[in-house]
Amino acid sequence: FEPTPQNIEARVIRRTLSNGIKLALLPKKTRGGTVVAQLTLYWGDEKSKTDRGPACGLAGGMLLRGSQKHTRAELRDAFDRLKAGVSASVEGASIEVRRAQLDDTLRLVAEVLKKPAFPAAEFEELKRSTLTGVEARRGDPSAIAGERLARHLNPYPRGHWLYPESLDERLIDLKAAKLEEAKRCYAELVGATGAQFVAVGDFDPDALAKLVEELFGNWKNPAPYARIPVRYFERAPLEQTVATPDKANAVLRAAVNLPLRDDNPDFPALILGNYLLGGTSSARLPARVREKEGLSYSTYSHLSAGSLDAAGAFGLSSIYAPQNRERVENAIREELARALDHGFSDAEVDAAKKGFLEARRLARSQDRGIAGRLANYLYVGRTFAWDIDFERRIAALTPAQVQDALRR
């Protein structure tokens, strides 16, 4: 099976079950007869999720810690016997298992999702382990820089589902969290109305669709679901320095919000421009800062765009010795200015197009990657025809188009 967008689209089976669950199934032979499956749950709205981020997060962490029929250890042993890789939360579940064990694994996952026990001792253990993880990140330069940047770029009000908590706020909320709050989040919000199920691999699509309907068809959301829009915030420039004298490395994080959706005509050129600037180890920024001048351990750039909301960002990251800060920042500024002023050569753009398209081909060779894309496309209402058009536009780009898009 050659995983081109055309071949994937020709083979995908899409259905909507009688209970509204949407399916995208890609049956194909795999090494070892493996199946990758993903169930995504959608629940709550902006009002019902307000001030419930910590409680709902802990509720998700409790699901694999015991069901009404099995303890945490019994669940772990059962999944081990099935040789199944499983993760589960209130957002859904992902599975990787061989065909022969798929049905039993999915039945056990349904038990985990639908019949959690919320044992008090496990809740306290979850709190302790989560607190330990947060405490460990408090002095980490990467965590601090990421937190400060996210809070500046995304100033949602405290309590909003998309509010970027500081590490200190996270600690306060975790210490104050109560088991009853986690149980209420689950009981009042979580269900499978409008859920999505995706599977890629060696399975019988008709039998699997029937099983999904049997296991999740009657699991209704207790309250209506409404998507929470991601907002674009226009933010004033900000420069902050945080001292971490006990750490050997310094971290630079920089970003700017963009009112960008991935159906914007400039999106392909912007994606390729970012790939040329900092998308690979041989791109301009790492080639200059890390390879040529030896100033950093890691330097890269990233670009994001919304599929439903015009909310994206362009960002930079670099890890370096503190004494190199000024030289790192100057080198990054110079490379950005060079790209805007002089653009890229024909050879650079041709090589970038080949590398970028090959990376997408390799990503499609991974069943988990295909499953994730199928799930996303179910949600946003796309097929792999989008990939065909996007890759055609990437292949047709000229250096002038990339430079013009970056300038805009």
Side-chain angles (χ1 to χ4, degrees), residues 35 75-87 94-98 101-102 104-106 108-109 368:
V35 183
L75 287 172
R76 183 180 62 242
D77 290 346
F79 284 127
D80 285 347
R81 285 193 297 272
L82 292 165
K83 297 182 179 178
V86 173
S87 64
S94 64
I95 299 167
E96 186 163 352
V97 71
R98 293 180 186 273
Q101 287 77 41
L102 175 60
D104 288 343
T105 300
L106 198 55
L108 194 55
V109 166
R368 190 167 292 279

Side-chain angles (χ1 to χ4, degrees), residues 38 198 200 367-377:
Q38 182 175 320
V198 167
V200 178
D367 289 349
R368 190 167 292 279
I370 296 177
R373 185 158 295 185
L374 283 169
N376 179 55
Y377 285 3

Side-chain angles (χ1 to χ4, degrees), residues 258 260-277 303 305 314 339-340 344 349 352-353 356 386 389-408:
L258 301 171
L260 184 66
R261 274 183 24 156
D262 60 12
D263 58 357
N264 187 296
D266 281 337
F267 180 66
L270 290 171
I271 282 288
L272 195 66
N274 172 71
Y275 188 85
L276 284 154
L277 282 169
L303 180 96
F314 172 73
L340 293 175
F344 304 93
V349 171
K353 290 192 289 189
F356 180 78
W386 190 90
D389 179 65
F390 176 69
E391 294 185 6
R392 178 187 57 77
R393 293 166 69 192
I394 288 285
L397 285 170
T398 66
Q401 288 172 321
V402 174
Q403 183 183 13
D404 288 345
L406 291 175
R407 283 174 167 174
R408 283 195 284 271

Side-chain angles (χ1 to χ4, degrees), residues 328-376:
V328 168
E329 292 181 358
N330 286 339
I332 289 174
R333 288 192 181 98
E334 288 172 8
E335 288 304 319
L336 292 175
R338 184 162 75 97
L340 293 175
D341 292 343
H342 304 293
F344 304 93
S345 68
D346 289 345
E348 280 181 293
V349 171
D350 285 345
K353 290 192 289 189
K354 290 177 183 176
F356 180 78
L357 293 173
E358 175 62 14
R360 287 178 64 87
R361 188 192 70 79
L362 288 173
R364 287 193 298 268
S365 70
Q366 304 297 315
D367 289 349
R368 190 167 292 279
I370 296 177
R373 185 158 295 185
L374 283 169
N376 179 55

Side-chain angles (χ1 to χ4, degrees), residues 51-238:
D51 291 322
R52 299 184 93 163
C56 292
L58 289 168
M62 287 295 293
L63 298 188
L64 282 168
R65 289 174 173 260
S67 72
Q68 295 173 18
K69 294 182 178 180
H70 297 92
T71 66
R72 176 187 183 183
E74 288 169 344
L75 287 172
R76 183 180 62 242
D77 290 346
F79 284 127
D80 285 347
R81 285 193 297 272
L82 292 165
K83 297 182 179 178
V86 173
S87 64
S89 76
V90 289
E91 308 295 338
S94 64
I95 299 167
E96 186 163 352
V97 71
R98 293 180 186 273
R99 174 174 180 152
Q101 287 77 41
L102 175 60
D103 287 12
D104 288 343
T105 300
L106 198 55
R107 289 184 185 279
L108 194 55
V109 166
E111 177 188 316
V112 164
L113 292 174
K114 296 166 63 180
K115 303 292 183 181
F118 289 101
E122 289 288 351
F123 183 75
E124 293 305 318
E125 167 58 28
L126 175 61
K127 278 181 63 173
R128 283 193 296 271
S129 62
T130 308
L131 282 165
T132 299
V134 176
E135 285 279 10
R137 297 173 58 214
R138 289 182 77 192
D140 177 62
S142 291
I144 294 170
E147 170 198 303
R148 296 294 182 95
L149 187 62
R151 288 168 67 80
H152 176 67
L153 293 178
N154 304 291
Y156 292 95
R158 182 137 165 79
H160 192 281
W161 188 253
L162 301 179
Y163 171 76
E165 273 195 315
S166 70
L167 294 174
D168 288 343
E169 288 170 339
R170 177 81 171 131
L171 286 172
I172 292 169
D173 287 345
L174 282 169
K175 290 174 181 177
K178 300 287 189 292
L179 175 58
E180 288 305 313
E181 295 170 347
K183 291 168 74 172
R184 276 199 303 273
C185 169
Y186 177 87
E188 295 174 5
L189 295 176
V190 180
T193 305
Q196 294 168 353
F197 183 86
V198 167
V200 178
D202 192 350
F203 59 88
D204 179 323
D206 292 329
L208 183 54
K210 184 178 179 181
L211 181 60
V212 170
E213 185 150 27
E214 173 196 331
L215 294 175
F216 301 104
N218 294 322
W219 189 26
K220 306 296 184 184
N221 286 26
Y225 164 73
R227 186 179 70 86
I228 300 174
V230 179
R231 290 178 55 189
Y232 162 74
F233 295 97
E234 188 166 345
R235 302 294 283 156
L238 174 73

